[in-house]
Amino acid sequence: MIGWLAIFLTGGLIWLLWEKPDPLKEIRYAEEFLKEFGAAVISLVFVIIIAYAYADIIEFFIPPILKEWLGQFGILALPLWVRVILAYVIKDFCYYVAHWWMHHNDYLWQTHLWHHSIQKLWWLAAQRTSFTSRFLFQVGFLAFPILEIPPEVMFYLGLFGALHENWTHSNAKWRSWMGLLEWIFVTPRYHSLHHTQVGAYNMGSYFTIFDRLFGTYLNPDSVNPDEQTFGVVDPPINWQKVVGI
């Protein structure tokens, strides 16, 4: 329920304060809401299943000897804010690798089809993610328990994650000031470009560094947003796309 509220509270604020007054494209939200709400409900079920699965995965893949090894190098003695930043970098690198493979492997592409069927990109559409895709993207979050980020801190990081996901998928007009943030961070125009027909570019989640390092960076300033269309996967959307197999 907390995750559900986080998604809709942050998304509602983004829509009210940003999308509605300064939209990139015209969207009839009343017509789109029920369709995307249904997808969000399905996705929430996936999140609950994956959360229970990862609880067991954490116990299995994070043995005490790993914590002892990290402790010998003083990593777990680092200040909390340093470990949080390190965890985000590890998480984003894992996300980038999984995302890259989804776009370059025919089998893994099946896990990502549903997300790229979005033809009206706005905050609620961000939830249209298949089960297998969410499962693979969650691998990077293992960095947080490995680096002993406390659960009470993870609560606030979860709120930030919901806000960031909704923001980067928002129907926000491209503004030049976003280019300054994009030296480090992913912005709405940076990620929305990934959902167009330009191809497998701008695949980072939080940071742009891995796109720049590995040659998948595309400068939004070089593209006219009015000439771009969203959705590279045609309907119909069947159960295989929703599950991601």
Side-chain angles (χ1 to χ4, degrees):
M1 289 302 297
I2 291 173
W4 186 252
L5 289 172
I7 289 169
F8 276 87
L9 286 176
T10 59
L13 286 173
I14 288 170
W15 179 79
L16 185 64
L17 300 177
W18 198 331
E19 284 196 34
K20 191 173 184 293
D22 195 28
L24 174 65
K25 295 181 181 291
E26 182 181 352
I27 295 179
R28 296 180 179 179
Y29 291 100
E31 296 178 3
E32 296 292 324
F33 180 80
L34 285 180
K35 177 178 65 177
E36 298 302 347
F37 181 80
V41 171
I42 294 171
S43 184
L44 178 64
V45 173
F46 292 163
V47 169
I48 293 171
I49 295 172
I50 290 170
Y52 280 101
Y54 265 89
D56 294 329
I57 290 173
I58 287 171
E59 290 187 8
F60 184 79
F61 284 100
I62 308 180
I65 191 172
L66 176 59
K67 297 291 186 70
E68 294 175 6
W69 182 79
L70 291 173
Q72 290 177 358
F73 289 92
I75 295 175
L76 299 182
L78 293 171
L80 177 60
W81 66 270
V82 175
R83 284 183 282 131
V84 168
I85 293 175
L86 181 59
Y88 267 115
V89 172
I90 295 171
K91 179 264 175 192
D92 216 51
F93 176 73
C94 293
Y95 178 98
Y96 178 88
V97 172
H99 202 180
W100 188 93
W101 276 110
M102 287 176 188
H103 280 269
H104 291 85
N105 180 278
D106 291 340
Y107 295 104
L108 289 179
W109 174 238
Q110 303 305 310
T111 72
H112 204 39
L113 284 174
W114 194 33
H115 192 63
H116 275 280
S117 69
I118 299 170
Q119 296 179 323
K120 301 288 180 64
L121 192 67
W122 60 294
W123 72 267
L124 189 55
Q127 305 309 313
R128 198 192 298 186
T129 305
S130 75
F131 176 83
T132 51
S133 180
R134 280 201 178 275
F135 187 88
L136 293 171
F137 282 146
Q138 291 295 108
V139 170
F141 278 105
L142 291 174
F144 291 88
I146 288 174
L147 294 174
E148 295 188 345
I149 309 301
E152 58 271 21
V153 174
M154 289 303 301
F155 171 79
Y156 294 103
L157 297 182
L159 287 177
F160 173 72
L163 176 65
H164 181 267
E165 184 176 42
N166 289 333
W167 182 61
T168 55
H169 287 85
S170 63
N171 181 37
K173 187 167 290 183
W174 295 13
R175 297 297 184 184
S176 58
W177 59 263
M178 293 181 183
L180 297 176
L181 290 179
E182 286 161 7
W183 283 104
I184 300 175
F185 300 110
V186 171
T187 69
R189 70 171 194 166
Y190 187 95
H191 186 71
S192 66
L193 188 58
H194 175 72
H195 279 267
T196 68
Q197 67 272 23
V198 299
Y201 293 95
N202 296 4
M203 291 189 284
S205 175
Y206 288 99
F207 306 117
T208 63
I209 181 174
F210 299 114
D211 283 308
R212 296 177 186 276
L213 284 175
F214 301 121
T216 53
Y217 168 72
L218 182 61
N219 188 348
D221 287 328
S222 66
V223 178
N224 183 352
D226 295 329
E227 297 176 355
Q228 306 303 312
T229 57
F230 299 126
V232 296
V233 178
D234 294 327
I237 303 302
N238 52 31
W239 70 268
Q240 288 101 330
K241 289 188 177 72
V242 174
V243 177
I245 57 175

